[in-house]
Amino acid sequence: MSTSGHVVALCGGVGGAKLAFGLTRVLEPKNLTLVVNTGDDFEHLGLHISPDVDTLAYTLAGLADRERGWGLAGETWHFMGALARLGGESWFNLGDRDLAMHVERTRRLAAGRTLSQVTAGLTAALGIRHPIIPMSDHPVRTIVQTDGGELEFQRYFVAEQCRPVATGVRFEGADRAWISPALASALVWKKISAVVLCPSNPHLSVGPILAIPGLREGLLALDVPIVAVSPIVGGRALKGPAAKLMAELGLPPGLAGVAKVYEGLISGLVVDVTDEAEAAPLAAAGLPVRALRAVMITDEDRTRLALETLDFARELAARPARAKP
Ligand code: FO1
């Protein structure tokens, strides 16, 4: 184990799940709280779909399709074929085995359990020992504002393939949401030594988590290193629309945009080794930067990056005064 104390990691999407997997390899379940974005959740075909929760769960359980990043390996799609034949909504792909997750989650929620409780039960059934904490038990829905009007996240991401030009992002329900009880309890009772922002989309995956009232302030009040791992390598998002969205929202391209989104929050930024030169102005401006091999192909890549990120956080904690970006 590379760090003492408890680590809180915020994540969403495929890139975030990869680093989260690495963190579970180097931290005991009692020393890690994985907080996952639920802004992508939606009701579809009468089912409650929690894509980022499931991506994380399947990744940690070793069940994820490594090519797609989401859904289950070895999946079949008979249900989708049959649905399309009937003229049903077939723009969002629910695999035959994956369906069980959505049906069972929906049943348990309808029976009155919270999303946290349901997630704990379902992930335990998959053999996952590390706690996966939905950011909130209250519904928060990411809405992408585009030049053609507002789109619910999955309509923007899957149906429209992120093609519309984004003019803004808002998180419906966030102002009325509370952080989930397990996260609140971790923030109060655990001896937290570091916060890691996984290489997830800063606006669409980490943004909704930070929009829950009190969370950002709660993290800052811990007064421990908050380290972000950049999802942008070589000016492009490793996966998904992060770079396109940042450009459309008027942010500087590349790492400068990531640093801008997290301004006032992070105390260190992990960048890919190939981006060390691009990160030099950020370092010169006072943001501690660590260049690491941030592209995660194998499980070993994930574990190594997790270890080195925690080492960076530990070094930041040991510095006399934390530099502010
Ligand atoms: N992503 C797609 O690009 N197309 C899909 O049809 C799709 C279906 C899907 C079903 C279940 C699930 O858990 C995830 C799914 N995803 C799909 C991924 C999902 O849209 C994204 O991973 C996230 O919401 C972005 O982080």
Side-chain angles (χ1 to χ4, degrees):
M1 298 295 145
S2 104
T3 185
S4 58
H6 192 91
V7 173
V8 171
L10 311 188
C11 74
V14 173
K18 289 181 180 177
L19 185 64
F21 174 94
L23 289 167
T24 65
R25 288 295 164 102
V26 298
L27 293 167
E28 297 287 349
K30 66 176 172 20
N31 289 333
L32 178 63
T33 295
L34 293 168
V35 183
V36 62
N37 169 41
T38 57
D40 295 11
D41 289 22
F42 74 133
E43 304 291 326
H44 185 58
L45 307 177
L47 301 172
H48 181 110
I49 318 286
S50 285
D52 283 1
V53 171
D54 290 348
T55 296
L56 184 56
Y58 292 154
T59 301
L60 296 194
L63 298 172
D65 183 289
R66 292 185 83 101
E67 194 65 24
R68 283 193 312 272
W70 56 269
L72 289 160
E75 187 59 280
T76 54
W77 306 93
H78 301 293
F79 167 74
M80 289 310 301
L83 185 64
R85 217 164 23 247
L86 294 172
E89 273 194 65
S90 56
W91 61 273
F92 191 80
N93 295 291
L94 297 176
D96 299 331
R97 294 185 179 88
D98 183 34
L99 257 182
M101 179 66 99
H102 313 303
V103 169
E104 186 56 14
R105 173 187 294 115
T106 306
R107 188 190 69 77
R108 293 185 191 193
L109 287 171
R113 276 169 252 176
T114 66
L115 186 61
S116 293
Q117 291 166 338
V118 173
T119 303
L122 294 174
T123 54
L126 293 181
I128 298 166
R129 290 166 54 240
H130 290 78
I132 296 181
I133 313 288
M135 64 190 196
S136 176
D137 286 334
H138 298 104
V140 177
R141 298 292 174 259
T142 298
I143 308 286
V144 183
Q145 299 159 313
T146 77
D147 52 1
E150 293 200 329
L151 290 170
E152 281 190 343
F153 179 78
Q154 297 298 341
R155 287 276 173 191
Y156 166 79
F157 191 80
V158 175
E160 299 289 336
Q161 297 281 295
C162 310
R163 278 183 298 260
V165 174
T167 54
V169 179
R170 65 181 184 88
F171 308 111
E172 198 164 278
D175 54 340
R176 298 182 298 280
W178 297 2
I179 59 175
S180 55
L183 173 57
S185 157
L187 291 178
V188 173
W189 298 109
K190 301 276 188 189
K191 191 185 168 325
I192 293 169
S193 58
V195 176
V196 175
L197 309 187
C198 291
S200 305
N201 187 310
H203 280 106
L204 298 177
S205 297
V206 181
I209 306 177
L210 295 174
I212 307 296
L215 183 53
R216 187 185 171 96
E217 296 74 14
L219 295 177
L220 284 168
L222 294 171
D223 202 24
V224 299
I226 302 178
V227 174
V229 179
S230 173
I232 306 272
V233 172
R236 295 174 51 175
L238 284 171
K239 193 161 170 67
K244 175 180 181 285
L245 191 79
M246 287 188 347
E248 290 168 359
L249 297 183
L251 285 156
L255 298 176
V258 176
K260 185 81 190 152
V261 179
Y262 290 141
E263 195 172 0
L265 178 67
I266 58 171
S267 38
L269 180 66
V270 171
V271 306
D272 188 67
V273 277
T274 57
D275 288 336
E276 202 167 0
E278 190 195 327
L282 299 175
L287 177 65
V289 169
R290 176 62 47 90
L292 299 172
R293 277 178 27 232
V295 181
M296 294 171 278
I297 311 287
T298 64
D299 288 354
E300 289 66 36
D301 292 335
R302 300 169 176 186
T303 307
R304 179 189 31 75
L305 184 61
L307 263 176
E308 292 173 354
T309 300
L310 295 177
D311 285 345
F312 179 42
R314 202 172 39 186
E315 284 174 36
L316 291 173
R319 291 188 187 182
R322 272 174 50 196
K324 297 279 178 211

